[in-house]
Coordinates of all heavy atoms in Angstrom, one line a residue:
M1 N 64.9 -49.4 -14.7 CA 65.1 -49.3 -13.3 C 64.5 -48.0 -12.8 O 64.6 -47.0 -13.5 CB 66.6 -49.4 -13.0 CG 66.8 -49.2 -11.5 SD 68.6 -49.1 -11.0 CE 69.2 -50.7 -11.5
L2 N 64.0 -48.0 -11.6 CA 63.5 -46.7 -11.0 C 64.6 -46.1 -10.2 O 65.4 -46.9 -9.6 CB 62.3 -47.0 -10.1 CG 61.1 -47.6 -10.7 CD1 60.0 -48.0 -9.7 CD2 60.5 -46.6 -11.7
Y3 N 64.7 -44.8 -10.2 CA 65.7 -44.2 -9.4 C 64.9 -43.3 -8.4 O 64.0 -42.5 -8.7 CB 66.6 -43.3 -10.2 CG 67.6 -44.2 -11.0 CD1 67.3 -44.5 -12.3 CD2 68.8 -44.6 -10.4 CE1 68.2 -45.3 -13.0 CE2 69.6 -45.4 -11.1 CZ 69.3 -45.8 -12.4 OH 70.2 -46.6 -13.1
I4 N 65.3 -43.4 -7.1 CA 64.8 -42.5 -6.1 C 65.9 -41.6 -5.6 O 67.0 -41.9 -5.4 CB 64.3 -43.4 -4.9 CG1 63.2 -44.3 -5.3 CG2 63.9 -42.5 -3.7 CD1 62.7 -45.3 -4.3
D5 N 65.5 -40.3 -5.6 CA 66.4 -39.2 -5.3 C 66.4 -39.1 -3.7 O 65.7 -38.2 -3.2 CB 66.0 -37.9 -6.0 CG 67.1 -36.9 -5.9 OD1 68.3 -37.2 -5.6 OD2 66.8 -35.7 -6.1
C6 N 67.3 -39.9 -3.1 CA 67.4 -39.8 -1.6 C 67.9 -38.4 -1.2 O 68.9 -38.0 -1.8 CB 68.3 -40.9 -1.1 SG 68.6 -40.9 0.7
P7 N 67.2 -37.8 -0.3 CA 67.7 -36.4 0.1 C 69.0 -36.4 0.8 O 69.7 -35.4 1.0 CB 66.6 -35.9 1.0 CG 65.9 -37.1 1.5 CD 66.0 -38.2 0.4
Y8 N 69.5 -37.6 1.3 CA 70.8 -37.7 2.0 C 71.9 -38.2 1.1 O 73.0 -37.8 1.3 CB 70.6 -38.6 3.2 CG 69.4 -38.3 4.0 CD1 68.2 -39.0 3.9 CD2 69.4 -37.3 4.9 CE1 67.1 -38.7 4.6 CE2 68.3 -36.9 5.7 CZ 67.2 -37.7 5.6 OH 66.1 -37.3 6.3
C9 N 71.6 -39.1 0.1 CA 72.6 -39.8 -0.7 C 72.6 -39.4 -2.2 O 73.6 -39.6 -2.9 CB 72.4 -41.3 -0.6 SG 72.3 -41.9 1.0
G10 N 71.5 -38.8 -2.6 CA 71.4 -38.5 -4.1 C 70.6 -39.6 -4.8 O 70.0 -40.5 -4.1
S11 N 70.7 -39.7 -6.1 CA 69.9 -40.6 -6.9 C 70.4 -42.0 -6.7 O 71.6 -42.3 -7.0 CB 69.9 -40.2 -8.3 OG 69.1 -41.0 -9.1
R12 N 69.6 -43.0 -6.4 CA 70.0 -44.4 -6.2 C 68.9 -45.3 -6.8 O 67.7 -44.9 -6.9 CB 70.1 -44.7 -4.7 CG 71.2 -44.0 -4.0 CD 72.6 -44.4 -4.4 NE 73.6 -44.1 -3.5 CZ 74.3 -42.9 -3.6 NH1 74.0 -42.1 -4.5 NH2 75.3 -42.7 -2.8
G13 N 69.3 -46.4 -7.2 CA 68.3 -47.4 -7.8 C 67.4 -47.9 -6.7 O 67.7 -48.0 -5.5
H14 N 66.1 -48.2 -7.1 CA 65.1 -48.5 -6.2 C 65.4 -49.8 -5.4 O 64.8 -50.1 -4.3 CB 63.7 -48.6 -6.9 CG 63.5 -49.9 -7.6 ND1 64.1 -50.2 -8.8 CD2 62.8 -51.0 -7.3 CE1 63.7 -51.4 -9.2 NE2 63.0 -51.9 -8.3
E15 N 66.3 -50.7 -6.0 CA 66.6 -52.0 -5.3 C 67.3 -51.7 -4.0 O 67.4 -52.6 -3.1 CB 67.4 -52.9 -6.2 CG 68.8 -52.5 -6.5 CD 68.9 -51.4 -7.6 OE1 67.9 -51.1 -8.2 OE2 70.1 -51.0 -7.8
E16 N 67.8 -50.5 -3.7 CA 68.5 -50.2 -2.4 C 67.4 -49.8 -1.4 O 67.8 -49.7 -0.2 CB 69.4 -49.0 -2.6 CG 70.6 -49.3 -3.4 CD 71.6 -48.1 -3.4 OE1 71.5 -47.2 -2.6 OE2 72.6 -48.1 -4.2
F17 N 66.2 -49.7 -1.8 CA 65.1 -49.2 -0.9 C 64.1 -50.3 -0.5 O 64.0 -51.2 -1.3 CB 64.4 -48.0 -1.5 CG 65.2 -46.8 -1.7 CD1 66.0 -46.7 -2.8 CD2 65.2 -45.7 -0.8 CE1 66.8 -45.5 -3.0 CE2 65.9 -44.6 -1.0 CZ 66.7 -44.5 -2.1
T18 N 63.5 -50.2 0.6 CA 62.4 -51.1 1.0 C 61.2 -50.3 1.2 O 61.2 -49.3 1.9 CB 62.8 -51.8 2.3 OG1 64.0 -52.5 2.1 CG2 61.7 -52.8 2.7
Y19 N 60.1 -50.7 0.6 CA 58.8 -50.0 0.8 C 58.3 -50.2 2.2 O 58.3 -51.3 2.7 CB 57.8 -50.5 -0.2 CG 56.4 -50.0 -0.1 CD1 56.1 -48.7 -0.6 CD2 55.4 -50.7 0.6 CE1 54.8 -48.2 -0.5 CE2 54.1 -50.1 0.7 CZ 53.9 -48.9 0.1 OH 52.6 -48.4 0.3
I20 N 57.9 -49.1 2.8 CA 57.4 -49.1 4.2 C 55.9 -49.1 4.2 O 55.2 -49.9 4.8 CB 58.0 -48.0 5.1 CG1 59.5 -48.1 5.2 CG2 57.3 -48.0 6.4 CD1 60.1 -47.0 6.0
G21 N 55.4 -48.1 3.5 CA 53.9 -48.0 3.5 C 53.4 -46.6 3.1 O 54.2 -45.7 2.6
D22 N 52.1 -46.4 3.3 CA 51.4 -45.2 2.9 C 51.9 -44.0 3.8 O 51.9 -44.1 5.0 CB 49.9 -45.5 3.2 CG 49.0 -44.4 2.7 OD1 49.5 -43.2 2.5 OD2 47.8 -44.6 2.7
A23 N 52.3 -42.9 3.2 CA 52.8 -41.8 4.0 C 51.6 -40.8 4.3 O 51.9 -39.8 5.0 CB 53.8 -41.0 3.2
T24 N 50.4 -41.1 3.9 CA 49.3 -40.2 4.1 C 48.6 -40.6 5.4 O 47.8 -39.8 5.9 CB 48.3 -40.2 3.0 OG1 47.7 -41.5 2.8 CG2 49.0 -39.8 1.7
K25 N 48.8 -41.7 6.0 CA 48.1 -42.1 7.2 C 48.7 -41.3 8.4 O 49.9 -41.2 8.5 CB 48.3 -43.6 7.5 CG 47.5 -44.5 6.6 CD 46.0 -44.4 7.1 CE 45.2 -45.4 6.4 NZ 43.8 -45.3 6.9
K26 N 47.8 -40.8 9.2 CA 48.2 -40.1 10.4 C 47.9 -40.9 11.6 O 46.7 -41.4 11.8 CB 47.4 -38.7 10.5 CG 47.7 -37.8 9.3 CD 49.2 -37.3 9.3 CE 49.4 -36.4 8.1 NZ 50.7 -36.7 7.5
R27 N 48.9 -41.1 12.5 CA 48.7 -41.8 13.7 C 47.7 -41.1 14.6 O 47.8 -39.9 14.9 CB 50.0 -42.0 14.4 CG 50.0 -42.8 15.7 CD 51.3 -42.9 16.3 NE 51.3 -43.6 17.6 CZ 51.5 -44.9 17.8 NH1 51.8 -45.6 16.8 NH2 51.4 -45.4 19.0
P28 N 46.7 -41.8 15.2 CA 45.8 -41.2 16.1 C 46.5 -40.7 17.4 O 47.5 -41.2 17.7 CB 44.8 -42.3 16.5 CG 44.9 -43.3 15.4 CD 46.3 -43.2 14.9
D29 N 45.9 -39.7 18.0 CA 46.5 -39.2 19.3 C 46.6 -40.3 20.3 O 45.7 -41.2 20.3 CB 45.5 -38.1 19.8 CG 46.1 -37.4 21.0 OD1 47.0 -36.6 20.9 OD2 45.6 -37.8 22.1
S30 N 47.6 -40.3 21.1 CA 47.8 -41.4 22.0 C 46.6 -41.6 23.0 O 46.4 -42.6 23.6 CB 49.1 -41.3 22.8 OG 49.1 -40.1 23.5
A31 N 45.9 -40.5 23.2 CA 44.7 -40.5 24.1 C 43.5 -41.1 23.5 O 42.5 -41.4 24.1 CB 44.4 -39.1 24.7
E32 N 43.6 -41.4 22.1 CA 42.5 -41.9 21.4 C 42.1 -43.3 21.9 O 43.0 -44.2 21.9 CB 42.8 -41.9 19.9 CG 41.7 -42.5 19.0 CD 40.4 -41.7 19.1 OE1 40.5 -40.5 18.8 OE2 39.4 -42.3 19.4
K33 N 40.9 -43.5 22.3 CA 40.5 -44.8 22.9 C 39.5 -45.5 21.9 O 39.2 -46.7 22.2 CB 39.8 -44.6 24.2 CG 40.7 -43.9 25.3 CD 40.3 -44.3 26.6 CE 41.1 -43.6 27.7 NZ 42.5 -43.5 27.6
S34 N 39.2 -44.9 20.8 CA 38.2 -45.5 19.9 C 38.9 -46.7 19.2 O 40.0 -46.5 18.5 CB 37.7 -44.5 18.9 OG 37.3 -45.1 17.7
D35 N 38.4 -47.9 19.2 CA 38.9 -49.0 18.5 C 38.9 -48.8 17.0 O 39.8 -49.2 16.3 CB 38.2 -50.3 18.8 CG 38.5 -50.8 20.2 OD1 39.5 -50.4 20.8 OD2 37.7 -51.6 20.7
S36 N 37.8 -48.1 16.5 CA 37.7 -47.9 15.1 C 38.8 -47.0 14.5 O 39.3 -47.2 13.4 CB 36.3 -47.4 14.7 OG 36.1 -46.1 15.2
A37 N 39.2 -46.0 15.3 CA 40.3 -45.1 14.9 C 41.6 -45.8 14.7 O 42.4 -45.7 13.8 CB 40.4 -43.9 15.8
W38 N 41.9 -46.7 15.7 CA 43.1 -47.5 15.7 C 43.1 -48.6 14.6 O 44.1 -48.9 13.9 CB 43.4 -48.1 17.1 CG 44.0 -47.1 18.0 CD1 43.3 -46.4 19.0 CD2 45.3 -46.5 17.9 NE1 44.1 -45.5 19.6 CE2 45.3 -45.5 19.0 CE3 46.4 -46.7 17.2 CZ2 46.5 -44.8 19.2 CZ3 47.6 -46.0 17.4 CH2 47.6 -45.0 18.4
F39 N 41.9 -49.2 14.4 CA 41.7 -50.2 13.4 C 42.0 -49.6 12.0 O 42.7 -50.2 11.2 CB 40.3 -50.8 13.5 CG 40.1 -51.9 12.5 CD1 40.4 -53.2 12.8 CD2 39.5 -51.6 11.2 CE1 40.2 -54.2 11.8 CE2 39.3 -52.6 10.3 CZ 39.7 -53.9 10.6
D40 N 41.4 -48.4 11.8 CA 41.6 -47.7 10.6 C 43.1 -47.4 10.3 O 43.7 -47.7 9.3 CB 40.8 -46.4 10.6 CG 41.0 -45.6 9.3 OD1 41.5 -46.1 8.3 OD2 40.5 -44.5 9.3
Y41 N 43.8 -46.9 11.4 CA 45.2 -46.6 11.3 C 46.1 -47.8 11.0 O 47.0 -47.8 10.1 CB 45.7 -45.9 12.5 CG 47.2 -45.6 12.6 CD1 47.7 -44.7 11.7 CD2 48.0 -46.4 13.4 CE1 49.1 -44.4 11.7 CE2 49.4 -46.1 13.4 CZ 49.9 -45.2 12.6 OH 51.3 -45.0 12.6
V42 N 45.8 -48.9 11.6 CA 46.7 -50.1 11.5 C 46.3 -50.9 10.3 O 47.3 -51.4 9.6 CB 46.5 -51.0 12.8 CG1 47.3 -52.3 12.7 CG2 47.0 -50.2 14.0
Y43 N 45.0 -51.1 10.0 CA 44.7 -52.1 8.9 C 44.1 -51.6 7.6 O 44.3 -52.2 6.6 CB 43.7 -53.1 9.5 CG 44.2 -53.9 10.6 CD1 43.8 -53.7 12.0 CD2 45.1 -54.9 10.4 CE1 44.3 -54.4 13.0 CE2 45.7 -55.6 11.4 CZ 45.2 -55.4 12.7 OH 45.7 -56.1 13.8
L44 N 43.5 -50.4 7.6 CA 42.8 -50.0 6.4 C 43.7 -49.1 5.5 O 44.3 -48.2 6.0 CB 41.5 -49.2 6.8 CG 40.5 -50.0 7.6 CD1 39.2 -49.2 7.9 CD2 40.1 -51.3 6.9
R45 N 43.8 -49.5 4.3 CA 44.6 -48.7 3.3 C 43.8 -48.5 2.1 O 43.0 -49.4 1.6 CB 45.8 -49.5 3.0 CG 46.8 -49.7 4.1 CD 47.4 -48.4 4.5 NE 48.3 -48.5 5.6 CZ 48.0 -48.4 6.9 NH1 46.7 -48.1 7.2 NH2 48.9 -48.5 7.9
D46 N 43.9 -47.4 1.5 CA 43.4 -47.1 0.2 C 44.2 -47.7 -0.9 O 45.4 -48.1 -0.6 CB 43.3 -45.6 -0.1 CG 42.3 -44.9 0.8 OD1 41.3 -45.5 1.3 OD2 42.5 -43.7 1.1
N47 N 43.7 -47.9 -2.1 CA 44.4 -48.4 -3.2 C 44.4 -47.4 -4.3 O 43.7 -47.5 -5.3 CB 43.8 -49.7 -3.7 CG 44.7 -50.4 -4.7 OD1 45.9 -50.1 -4.8 ND2 44.1 -51.4 -5.4
P48 N 45.2 -46.3 -4.1 CA 45.1 -45.1 -5.0 C 45.6 -45.4 -6.4 O 46.5 -46.2 -6.6 CB 45.9 -44.1 -4.3 CG 46.9 -44.8 -3.6 CD 46.2 -46.1 -3.1
R49 N 45.0 -44.7 -7.3 CA 45.3 -44.8 -8.8 C 46.0 -43.5 -9.1 O 45.3 -42.4 -9.1 CB 44.1 -45.1 -9.6 CG 44.3 -45.3 -11.0 CD 43.0 -45.7 -11.7 NE 43.2 -46.2 -13.0 CZ 42.9 -45.4 -14.1 NH1 42.4 -44.2 -13.9 NH2 43.1 -45.9 -15.3
G50 N 47.3 -43.5 -9.4 CA 47.9 -42.2 -9.8 C 48.9 -41.8 -8.7 O 49.5 -42.7 -8.0
P51 N 49.2 -40.5 -8.6 CA 50.2 -40.1 -7.6 C 49.9 -40.4 -6.2 O 48.8 -40.2 -5.8 CB 50.3 -38.5 -7.8 CG 49.6 -38.3 -9.2 CD 48.7 -39.4 -9.4
H52 N 50.9 -40.9 -5.5 CA 50.6 -41.4 -4.1 C 51.9 -41.1 -3.3 O 53.0 -41.4 -3.7 CB 50.2 -42.8 -4.1 CG 49.8 -43.3 -2.7 ND1 50.5 -44.3 -2.1 CD2 48.9 -42.9 -1.9 CE1 49.9 -44.5 -0.9 NE2 48.9 -43.7 -0.8
L53 N 51.7 -40.6 -2.1 CA 52.9 -40.4 -1.2 C 53.1 -41.7 -0.4 O 52.2 -42.3 0.2 CB 52.6 -39.3 -0.2 CG 52.7 -37.9 -0.8 CD1 52.1 -36.8 0.2 CD2 54.1 -37.5 -1.2
E54 N 54.4 -42.1 -0.4 CA 54.8 -43.4 0.2 C 56.0 -43.2 1.1 O 56.8 -42.2 0.8 CB 55.1 -44.4 -0.8 CG 53.9 -44.7 -1.7 CD 54.3 -45.6 -2.9 OE1 55.4 -45.6 -3.4 OE2 53.4 -46.3 -3.4
L55 N 56.2 -44.0 2.0 CA 57.5 -44.0 2.8 C 58.3 -45.2 2.4 O 57.8 -46.3 2.2 CB 57.2 -44.1 4.3 CG 56.5 -42.9 4.9 CD1 56.1 -43.2 6.4 CD2 57.3 -41.7 4.8
W56 N 59.6 -44.9 2.1 CA 60.6 -46.0 1.7 C 61.8 -45.8 2.7 O 62.1 -44.8 3.1 CB 61.0 -45.7 0.3 CG 60.0 -46.0 -0.8 CD1 58.9 -45.3 -1.0 CD2 60.0 -47.1 -1.7 NE1 58.2 -45.8 -2.1 CE2 58.9 -46.9 -2.5 CE3 60.9 -48.1 -2.0 CZ2 58.6 -47.8 -3.6 CZ3 60.6 -49.0 -3.0 CH2 59.4 -48.8 -3.8
H57 N 62.4 -47.0 3.0 CA 63.6 -47.0 3.8 C 64.8 -47.3 2.9 O 64.8 -48.3 2.2 CB 63.4 -48.2 4.8 CG 64.5 -48.3 5.8 ND1 65.3 -49.4 5.8 CD2 65.0 -47.4 6.7 CE1 66.2 -49.2 6.8 NE2 66.1 -48.0 7.3
H58 N 65.8 -46.4 3.0 CA 67.0 -46.6 2.3 C 67.9 -47.7 3.0 O 68.9 -47.4 3.5 CB 67.7 -45.3 2.1 CG 68.7 -45.4 1.0 ND1 69.5 -44.3 0.6 CD2 69.1 -46.4 0.1 CE1 70.3 -44.6 -0.4 NE2 70.1 -45.9 -0.7
S59 N 67.4 -48.9 2.9 CA 68.0 -50.0 3.7 C 69.4 -50.4 3.3 O 70.2 -50.9 4.1 CB 67.1 -51.2 3.7 OG 66.6 -51.5 2.4
L60 N 69.8 -50.2 2.0 CA 71.1 -50.5 1.6 C 71.9 -49.2 1.3 O 72.9 -49.2 0.6 CB 71.1 -51.3 0.3 CG 70.4 -52.7 0.4 CD1 70.5 -53.5 -0.9 CD2 71.1 -53.5 1.5
G61 N 71.5 -48.2 2.0 CA 72.2 -46.9 1.9 C 72.4 -46.2 3.3 O 72.9 -46.8 4.2
C62 N 71.8 -45.1 3.4 CA 71.9 -44.3 4.6 C 71.0 -44.8 5.7 O 71.2 -44.3 6.9 CB 71.7 -42.8 4.3 SG 70.0 -42.5 3.7
R63 N 70.1 -45.7 5.4 CA 69.2 -46.3 6.4 C 68.2 -45.2 7.0 O 67.7 -45.3 8.1 CB 69.9 -47.0 7.5 CG 70.9 -48.1 7.0 CD 71.4 -49.0 8.0 NE 70.5 -49.8 8.8 CZ 69.8 -50.9 8.3 NH1 70.1 -51.3 7.1 NH2 69.0 -51.5 9.0
E64 N 68.0 -44.2 6.2 CA 67.0 -43.2 6.6 C 65.7 -43.4 5.9 O 65.6 -44.1 4.9 CB 67.5 -41.8 6.2 CG 68.7 -41.3 6.9 CD 68.4 -40.9 8.4 OE1 67.2 -40.6 8.7 OE2 69.3 -40.9 9.2
V65 N 64.6 -42.9 6.4 CA 63.3 -43.0 5.8 C 63.1 -41.8 4.8 O 63.5 -40.7 5.2 CB 62.2 -43.0 6.9 CG1 60.8 -42.9 6.3 CG2 62.3 -44.2 7.8
V66 N 62.6 -42.1 3.7 CA 62.4 -41.1 2.6 C 61.0 -41.1 2.2 O 60.4 -42.2 2.0 CB 63.3 -41.5 1.4 CG1 63.1 -40.5 0.3 CG2 64.8 -41.6 1.8
K67 N 60.4 -39.9 2.0 CA 59.0 -39.8 1.5 C 59.1 -39.7 0.0 O 59.9 -38.9 -0.5 CB 58.4 -38.6 2.1 CG 56.9 -38.5 1.7 CD 56.3 -37.1 2.0 CE 56.0 -37.0 3.5 NZ 55.3 -35.6 3.7
V68 N 58.4 -40.5 -0.7 CA 58.4 -40.6 -2.1 C 57.1 -40.4 -2.7 O 56.1 -40.9 -2.2 CB 59.0 -42.0 -2.6 CG1 58.9 -42.1 -4.1 CG2 60.4 -42.2 -2.1
L69 N 57.0 -39.5 -3.8 CA 55.7 -39.4 -4.5 C 55.9 -40.2 -5.8 O 56.7 -40.0 -6.6 CB 55.5 -37.9 -4.9 CG 54.3 -37.6 -5.7 CD1 53.0 -38.0 -4.9 CD2 54.2 -36.1 -6.1
R70 N 55.1 -41.3 -5.8 CA 55.1 -42.3 -6.9 C 53.8 -42.4 -7.6 O 52.8 -42.4 -7.0 CB 55.6 -43.6 -6.4 CG 55.8 -44.7 -7.5 CD 56.2 -46.0 -6.9 NE 55.3 -46.6 -6.0 CZ 54.4 -47.5 -6.4 NH1 54.3 -47.9 -7.7 NH2 53.5 -48.0 -5.5
N71 N 53.8 -42.4 -8.9 CA 52.6 -42.7 -9.7 C 52.4 -44.2 -9.7 O 53.2 -44.9 -10.3 CB 52.7 -42.1 -11.1 CG 51.4 -42.2 -11.9 OD1 50.7 -43.2 -11.8 ND2 51.2 -41.2 -12.7
T72 N 51.2 -44.6 -9.1 CA 51.0 -46.1 -9.0 C 50.6 -46.7 -10.3 O 50.6 -47.9 -10.4 CB 49.9 -46.4 -8.0 OG1 48.7 -45.7 -8.4 CG2 50.3 -45.9 -6.6
L73 N 50.3 -45.9 -11.3 CA 50.0 -46.4 -12.7 C 51.2 -46.7 -13.5 O 51.3 -47.7 -14.2 CB 49.0 -45.5 -13.4 CG 47.6 -45.4 -13.0 CD1 46.9 -44.3 -13.7 CD2 46.9 -46.7 -13.1
T74 N 52.1 -45.7 -13.4 CA 53.3 -45.8 -14.3 C 54.6 -46.2 -13.5 O 55.6 -46.4 -14.1 CB 53.6 -44.5 -15.0 OG1 53.8 -43.5 -14.0 CG2 52.3 -44.1 -15.8
H75 N 54.5 -46.1 -12.2 CA 55.7 -46.3 -11.3 C 56.7 -45.2 -11.4 O 57.8 -45.3 -10.8 CB 56.3 -47.7 -11.5 CG 55.4 -48.8 -11.3 ND1 54.9 -49.1 -10.0 CD2 54.9 -49.7 -12.1 CE1 54.1 -50.2 -10.1 NE2 54.1 -50.6 -11.4
E76 N 56.4 -44.1 -12.1 CA 57.3 -43.0 -12.2 C 57.4 -42.3 -10.8 O 56.5 -42.1 -10.1 CB 56.7 -42.0 -13.2 CG 57.6 -40.8 -13.4 CD 56.9 -39.7 -14.3 OE1 55.8 -39.9 -14.6 OE2 57.6 -38.7 -14.6
I77 N 58.7 -42.1 -10.5 CA 59.0 -41.4 -9.2 C 58.9 -39.9 -9.5 O 59.6 -39.3 -10.3 CB 60.4 -41.7 -8.7 CG1 60.5 -43.2 -8.5 CG2 60.7 -40.9 -7.4 CD1 59.6 -43.8 -7.4
L78 N 57.9 -39.2 -8.9 CA 57.6 -37.8 -9.2 C 58.3 -36.8 -8.2 O 58.4 -35.6 -8.5 CB 56.1 -37.5 -9.1 CG 55.3 -38.4 -10.1 CD1 53.8 -38.3 -9.8 CD2 55.6 -38.0 -11.5
G79 N 58.8 -37.3 -7.1 CA 59.5 -36.5 -6.1 C 59.9 -37.3 -4.9 O 59.4 -38.4 -4.7
A80 N 60.8 -36.8 -4.2 CA 61.3 -37.4 -2.9 C 61.8 -36.4 -2.0 O 62.2 -35.3 -2.4 CB 62.4 -38.5 -3.2
G81 N 61.8 -36.7 -0.7 CA 62.3 -35.8 0.3 C 62.3 -36.4 1.7 O 62.0 -37.6 1.8
R82 N 62.6 -35.6 2.7 CA 62.6 -36.1 4.0 C 61.1 -36.3 4.5 O 60.2 -35.7 3.9 CB 63.3 -35.1 5.0 CG 64.7 -34.9 4.7 CD 65.3 -33.8 5.5 NE 66.8 -33.8 5.4 CZ 67.4 -33.1 4.5 NH1 66.8 -32.4 3.6 NH2 68.7 -33.2 4.5
P83 N 60.9 -37.2 5.5 CA 59.5 -37.5 5.9 C 58.7 -36.2 6.2 O 57.5 -36.2 6.0 CB 59.6 -38.4 7.1 CG 60.9 -39.1 6.8 CD 61.8 -38.1 6.2
G84 N 59.3 -35.2 6.8 CA 58.6 -34.0 7.1 C 58.4 -33.0 6.0 O 57.7 -32.0 6.2
D85 N 59.0 -33.2 4.9 CA 58.9 -32.3 3.7 C 57.6 -32.4 3.1 O 56.9 -33.4 3.0 CB 60.0 -32.7 2.7 CG 61.4 -32.4 3.2 OD1 61.6 -31.8 4.2 OD2 62.4 -32.8 2.5
E86 N 57.2 -31.2 2.5 CA 56.0 -31.2 1.7 C 56.4 -31.5 0.3 O 57.4 -30.9 -0.2 CB 55.4 -29.8 1.7 CG 54.7 -29.4 3.0 CD 53.4 -30.2 3.2 OE1 52.7 -30.5 2.2 OE2 53.1 -30.6 4.4
I87 N 55.8 -32.4 -0.4 CA 56.1 -32.7 -1.8 C 54.8 -32.4 -2.6 O 53.8 -33.0 -2.3 CB 56.5 -34.2 -1.9 CG1 57.7 -34.5 -1.1 CG2 56.7 -34.6 -3.4 CD1 58.2 -36.0 -1.1
A88 N 55.0 -31.5 -3.5 CA 53.8 -31.0 -4.3 C 53.2 -32.1 -5.2 O 54.0 -32.8 -5.9 CB 54.2 -29.8 -5.1
M89 N 51.9 -32.3 -5.0 CA 51.2 -33.3 -5.9 C 51.1 -32.6 -7.3 O 50.9 -31.4 -7.4 CB 49.8 -33.6 -5.4 CG 49.9 -34.3 -4.1 SD 50.5 -36.0 -4.2 CE 49.0 -36.8 -4.5
P90 N 51.2 -33.4 -8.4 CA 51.1 -32.8 -9.7 C 49.6 -32.4 -9.9 O 48.7 -33.0 -9.3 CB 51.5 -33.9 -10.7 CG 51.3 -35.1 -9.9 CD 51.6 -34.8 -8.4
D91 N 49.4 -31.4 -10.8 CA 48.0 -31.0 -11.1 C 47.3 -32.1 -11.8 O 47.9 -32.9 -12.6 CB 48.1 -29.7 -12.0 CG 48.6 -28.5 -11.3 OD1 48.5 -28.5 -10.0 OD2 49.1 -27.6 -12.0
A92 N 46.0 -32.2 -11.6 CA 45.2 -33.3 -12.3 C 45.3 -33.1 -13.8 O 45.3 -34.1 -14.5 CB 43.8 -33.2 -11.8
E93 N 45.4 -31.9 -14.3 CA 45.4 -31.7 -15.7 C 46.7 -32.2 -16.4 O 46.7 -32.7 -17.5 CB 45.3 -30.2 -16.0 CG 43.9 -29.6 -15.7 CD 42.8 -30.3 -16.5 OE1 43.0 -30.5 -17.7 OE2 41.8 -30.6 -15.9
T94 N 47.8 -32.1 -15.6 CA 49.1 -32.5 -16.2 C 49.3 -34.0 -16.2 O 50.1 -34.6 -16.8 CB 50.3 -31.8 -15.5 OG1 50.2 -32.2 -14.1 CG2 50.2 -30.3 -15.7
E95 N 48.4 -34.7 -15.4 CA 48.5 -36.1 -15.3 C 48.0 -36.9 -16.5 O 48.3 -38.0 -16.7 CB 47.7 -36.6 -14.1 CG 48.5 -36.7 -12.8 CD 49.7 -37.6 -13.0 OE1 49.6 -38.8 -13.2 OE2 50.9 -37.1 -12.9
R96 N 47.1 -36.2 -17.2 CA 46.5 -36.9 -18.4 C 47.3 -37.0 -19.6 O 48.2 -36.3 -19.8 CB 45.1 -36.2 -18.7 CG 44.2 -36.4 -17.5 CD 42.9 -35.8 -17.8 NE 42.1 -35.9 -16.6 CZ 41.2 -35.0 -16.3 NH1 41.0 -33.9 -17.0 NH2 40.5 -35.1 -15.2
Ligands
ZN1 ZN1 70.0 -42.5 1.4

């Protein structure tokens, strides 16, 4: 079982959480009129290999959104925090 360290509740099993999506996508400015910028934001996603920042919802707990750093190869949870928190990416050398 994977455990996610919710910043509000502490360590909880991943079955209490719901995956929301990629935490690296930035919403375009509301004045942005370019269709391609909105298309990219809404539909296009990378399929990263290795550490990736994701948003998860603690749906069976505090119901807060949590930012999670997860390795997409091993599913290892490398860090978690509030959505505005900076979570340090591991060095490329330590990943191997
Ligand atoms: Zn929580």
Side-chain angles (χ1 to χ4, degrees):
M1 178 188 298
L2 297 175
Y3 288 93
I4 296 175
D5 194 17
C6 177
Y8 310 99
C9 307
S11 183
R12 296 288 196 272
H14 80 283
E15 71 277 356
E16 292 187 10
F17 294 82
T18 305
Y19 176 79
I20 297 176
D22 186 348
T24 63
K25 282 287 186 182
K26 299 292 180 224
R27 184 181 172 92
D29 184 77
S30 60
E32 178 63 55
K33 299 203 182 323
S34 158
D35 286 344
S36 65
W38 284 102
F39 183 84
D40 181 11
Y41 174 70
V42 174
Y43 295 109
L44 300 182
R45 295 291 179 266
D46 292 332
N47 190 16
R49 183 174 191 258
H52 186 240
L53 285 170
E54 302 169 333
L55 293 175
W56 290 69
H57 181 244
H58 197 178
S59 44
L60 297 181
C62 61
R63 305 189 62 78
E64 293 287 339
V65 174
V66 179
K67 185 192 282 184
V68 174
L69 179 62
R70 181 178 67 91
N71 187 322
T72 59
L73 287 175
T74 63
H75 299 294
E76 179 185 8
I77 304 294
L78 303 168
R82 293 175 171 88
D85 291 351
E86 288 289 326
I87 300 175
M89 296 290 270
D91 294 337
E93 291 299 316
T94 59
E95 269 303 298
R96 295 183 184 143

